[in-house]
């Protein structure tokens, strides 16, 4: 196995090996001197590739310095002028949004902009089960029949060639605002704004759809200003809506670099003020106070907003984020909260069955390079989440497939992969070979359609195909550690200092630390399958939490009070008015003296 083992841990309880990141001492000193920061922050920034000349911008990302030039995007000015035309003329416009958080925030941004002009914006969100992803010919035909004079697709549409051809045939102008990868052939549209279109040189292909839409709002104000038109009361101030842009960016797992860092850092400040009635209501029903962190946005609000698209009404999130009516917001938030509970129950049931299949597959073939679990009635709205859970547990690419009941005769599958194994390419190759009805994706995720009686042949091919990636799968088991801490040195002040290099997310990982030879004491189960305990050594103790581990081997070791090496992340936690540091355990290994 490549790399040095931290604490001589050959393999952890989760089957991983640990290695300590290396930071060149000269680079650390230069960065600390230039940025005026502590040694620990300097080391963290160096290992993240931050240079002395860029450290100030990284630490304090501002919209003034990092906001994209709208004119750099192909068709941005064209789209803005078409929308201003529709606003001025009072045409009937509908936004066609994807059913996830990025689609919901994108549509809500446009809805708020239209409302500022005194105009209504129609909404259409496709049903995941009945219609699938993106616009269809039937959907555009329906919108035309309902009197739509312009459709704006957000977070979808770039690859909907057939639907866009239908729109052209029936005389329905469509503006596509998307961020997904697309081919070199451009579909016929009124305008197509997508930083990932082949002829776009803006360099902002990493933006979420919500980020692209927020840039579009700036372009709309600019176009209106140049034309000398504005609504009563003046052009809208869009900055208070940056919370929606930040939320879409985080929940779509967009890389937190350049403009995205500024969107999220500044957007979280606005989110914490509670100005959006929908977000405020959702936070209330979720039982949190102010929305102050990436965790709140991504892991508390995000799943609830996604729940409607997964197991219920796909329109709920978009409506909630767009409303200014407190009563309506509370009703919508309570419905999403209930659907999220339903989603968790469905997910848990499928995860338990899929885990049994995965364990049998590994037992039968310990060298197997992929998990493929399938079941009748498995809901397509949660199979992606389950695939991610399997990937995280077994450190292998994982595919989960469901069919039957109300899902139709064709099986749908969702895949998640580990670093170094391009699951999208593998699925595409299987589709080209006739093993699938359709399929594709990108390096870390993919989707597929297959006849249920063809799953076995697809699984056999995929298991054989994955044999070539043994080195990549082994490397995926590496857990990189930023540093080693003593429990007695951990404090809320240290957590606050670490937050200075946030926000954390995709391509901006939260620091991971190890604590060496600590004894687990005062362990207790919390919730269904979590553990809270203290890790102590001669320097002191630190409060720890270990998620989804109470019934695992790790849980048994913690409850037995064993001496362990731990790896995890630090966060400041507040309870009953007292702030304390908390260590979130992500892995553990048995220390030698047990």
């Amino acid at each position: 196995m490549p790399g040095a083992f931290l604490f001589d841990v050959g393999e952890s309880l989760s089957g991983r090996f640990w290695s300590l990141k290396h930071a060149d001492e000269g680079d650390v000193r230069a960065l600390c001197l230039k940025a005026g920061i502590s040694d620990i922050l300097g080391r963290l920034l160096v290992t993240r590739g931050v240079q002395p000349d860029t450290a100030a911008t990284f630490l304090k990302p501002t919209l003034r310095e990092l906001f994209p030039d709208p004119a750099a995007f192909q068709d941005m000015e064209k789209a803005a002028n078409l929308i201003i035309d529709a606003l001025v003329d009072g045409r009937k416009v509908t936004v066609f949004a994807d059913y996830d958080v990025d689609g919901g925030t994108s549509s809500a941004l446009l809805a708020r902009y239209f409302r500022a002009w005194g105009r209504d914006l129609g909404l259409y969100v496709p049903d995941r089960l009945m219609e699938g992803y993106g616009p269809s010919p039937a959907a555009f035909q329906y919108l035309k029949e309902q009197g739509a004079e312009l459709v704006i697709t957000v977070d979808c549409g770039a690859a909907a060639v057939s639907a866009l051809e239908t729109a052209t045939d029936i005389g329905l102008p469509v503006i596509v605002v998307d961020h997904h990868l697309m081919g070199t052939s451009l579909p016929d549209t009124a305008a197509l704004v997508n930083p990932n279109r082949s002829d776009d040189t803006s360099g902002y292909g990493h933006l979420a759809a919500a980020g692209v839409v927020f840039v579009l709002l700036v372009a709309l104000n600019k176009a209106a200003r140049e034309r000398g038109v504005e609504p009563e009361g003046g052009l809208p101030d869009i900055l208070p809506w940056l919370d929606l842009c930040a939320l879409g960016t985080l929940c779509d797992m967009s890389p937190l670099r350049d403009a995205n860092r500024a969107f999220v850092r500044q957007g979280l400040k606005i989110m914490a003020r509670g100005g959006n009635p929908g977000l405020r209501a959702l936070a209330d029903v979720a039982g949190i106070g102010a929305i102050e962190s990436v965790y709140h946005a991504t892991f508390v609000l995000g799943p609830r907003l996604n729940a409607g698209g997964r197991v219920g009404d796909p329109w709920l999130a978009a409506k909630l984020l767009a409303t200014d009516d407190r009563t309506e917001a509370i009703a919508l938030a309570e419905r999403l909260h209930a659907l999220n509970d339903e989603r968790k129950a469905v997910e848990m049931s499928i995860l338990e069955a899929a885990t049994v299949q995965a364990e049998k597959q590994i037992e039968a073939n310990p060298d197997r390079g992929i998990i493929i679990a399938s079941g009748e009635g498995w809901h397509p709205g949660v199979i992606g989440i389950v695939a991610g859970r399997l990937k995280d547990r077994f450190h292998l690419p994982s595919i989960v497939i469901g069919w039957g009941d109300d899902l139709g005769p064709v099986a749908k599958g969702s895949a998640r992969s580990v670093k170094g194994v391009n699951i999208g390419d593998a699925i595409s190759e299987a589709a080209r070979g006739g093993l699938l009805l359709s399929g594709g994706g990108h390096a870390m995720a993919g989707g597929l359609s297959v006849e249920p009686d063809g799953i076995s042949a697809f699984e056999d091919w995929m298991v054989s195909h994955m044999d070539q990636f043994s080195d990549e799968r082994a490397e995926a088991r590496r857990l990189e550690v930023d540093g080693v801490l003593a429990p007695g040195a951990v404090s809320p002040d240290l957590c606050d200092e670490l937050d200075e290099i946030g926000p954390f997310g995709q391509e901006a990982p939260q620091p991971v630390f190890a604590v060496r030879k600590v004894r687990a004491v005062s362990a207790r189960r919390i919730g269904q399958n979590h553990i809270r305990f203290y890790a102590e050594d001669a320097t002191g103790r630190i409060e720890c939490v270990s998620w989804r581990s109470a019934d695992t081997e790790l849980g048994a070791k913690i409850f037995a009070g064993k001496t362990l090496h731990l790896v995890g992340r630090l966060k400041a936690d507040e309870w009953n008015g007292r702030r304390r540091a908390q260590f979130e355990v992500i892995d553990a290994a048995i220390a030698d003296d047990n």
Side-chain angles (χ1 to χ4, degrees), residues 37-66:
I37 56 177
S38 66
D39 180 79
I40 188 171
L41 292 189
R43 292 180 182 279
L44 291 170
L45 293 184
V46 166
T47 57
R48 283 153 176 75
V50 178
Q51 301 297 315
D53 290 341
T54 61
T57 300
F58 184 91
L59 291 168
K60 295 184 178 180
T62 64
L63 293 174
R64 180 181 297 277
E65 188 171 0
L66 296 173

Side-chain angles (χ1 to χ4, degrees), residues 492-575:
D493 289 341
L494 176 59
C495 297
D496 293 341
E497 184 177 7
L498 295 175
D499 283 343
E500 291 180 24
I501 67 170
F504 303 117
Q506 197 74 9
E507 292 189 13
Q510 187 174 359
V512 172
F513 296 102
V515 291
R516 184 174 185 268
K517 283 192 175 181
V518 291
R519 191 165 67 91
V521 299
S522 303
R524 67 184 190 277
R525 181 187 288 259
I526 57 174
Q528 288 189 328
N529 192 28
H530 315 306
I531 309 174
R532 191 179 299 278
F533 66 102
Y534 288 93
E536 65 177 21
D537 66 4
T539 71
R541 59 162 50 184
I542 180 175
E543 182 177 322
C544 301
V545 63
S546 182
W547 306 113
R548 302 185 186 91
S549 61
D551 298 320
T552 67
E553 182 183 5
L554 170 58
K557 302 298 184 186
I558 292 173
F559 286 125
K562 296 294 186 180
T563 301
L564 304 167
H565 305 307
L566 301 176
V567 170
R569 303 182 180 94
L570 282 174
K571 63 174 288 189
D573 189 44
E574 185 167 342
W575 182 254

Side-chain angles (χ1 to χ4, degrees), residues 129 375-380 401-412 450-452 455:
L129 285 179
E376 186 172 2
W378 288 7
H379 199 292
I401 304 171
W403 74 93
D405 288 349
D406 297 329
L407 311 180
V410 174
K412 302 287 187 179
V450 61
E451 295 287 354
I455 294 174

Side-chain angles (χ1 to χ4, degrees), residues 132-144:
Y133 168 77
S136 64
F140 279 161
Q141 183 68 53
Y142 169 81
L143 291 176
K144 177 69 174 180

Side-chain angles (χ1 to χ4, degrees), residues 427-490:
I427 293 173
S428 295
E429 186 172 340
R432 289 193 297 270
L435 292 165
L436 302 172
L437 298 174
S438 63
H442 52 79
M444 302 301 288
L448 59 91
S449 297
V450 61
E451 295 287 354
D453 59 7
I455 294 174
S456 179
F458 167 65
E459 179 176 350
D460 290 344
W461 181 90
M462 189 64 82
V463 169
S464 176
H465 181 78
M466 286 293 152
D467 286 342
Q468 64 187 294
F469 298 111
S470 58
D471 289 344
E472 290 84 353
R473 293 197 308 273
E475 180 61 22
R477 292 171 54 222
R478 178 194 296 271
L479 178 55
E480 291 190 311
V481 177
D482 287 289
V484 181
L485 296 173
V490 174

Side-chain angles (χ1 to χ4, degrees), residues 266-425:
Q266 306 306 324
L268 284 173
K269 295 177 183 177
I270 294 171
M271 207 179 300
R273 298 171 192 163
N276 184 294
L279 292 179
R280 179 68 269 153
L282 196 60
D284 288 344
V285 300
I288 62 174
I291 309 164
E292 296 176 327
S293 65
V294 169
Y295 175 82
H296 285 155
T298 307
F299 297 106
V300 178
L301 302 182
R304 287 166 173 80
L305 290 166
N306 273 325
R310 293 190 185 282
V311 297
D313 182 346
W315 299 55
L316 293 175
K319 290 179 178 178
L320 177 71
L321 297 171
T323 187
D324 283 324
D325 185 291
R326 173 69 175 169
T327 301
E328 180 185 26
I330 293 172
L332 291 168
E334 289 176 342
R335 178 65 178 139
L336 283 168
H337 185 70
L339 285 172
N340 190 55
D341 287 341
E342 180 182 333
R343 185 271 307 170
K344 287 190 287 187
V346 172
E347 176 192 328
M348 182 61 66
S349 174
I350 296 174
L351 178 60
E352 290 176 354
T355 300
V356 170
Q357 293 185 28
E359 289 172 340
K360 289 181 178 178
Q361 290 171 10
I362 298 300
E363 182 179 359
N365 178 11
D367 296 324
R368 180 182 173 112
I370 190 169
I371 300 297
I372 299 181
S374 59
E376 186 172 2
W378 288 7
H379 199 292
V382 301
I383 56 176
I385 301 175
V386 174
R389 300 273 193 228
L390 295 178
K391 182 265 295 182
D392 290 340
R393 174 167 177 174
F394 295 98
H395 314 297
L396 291 171
S398 299
I399 301 175
V400 178
I401 304 171
W403 74 93
D405 288 349
D406 297 329
L407 311 180
V410 174
K412 302 287 187 179
S414 189
R416 298 294 183 268
S417 194
V418 297
K419 185 178 180 180
V421 182
N422 192 316
I423 195 67
D425 282 354

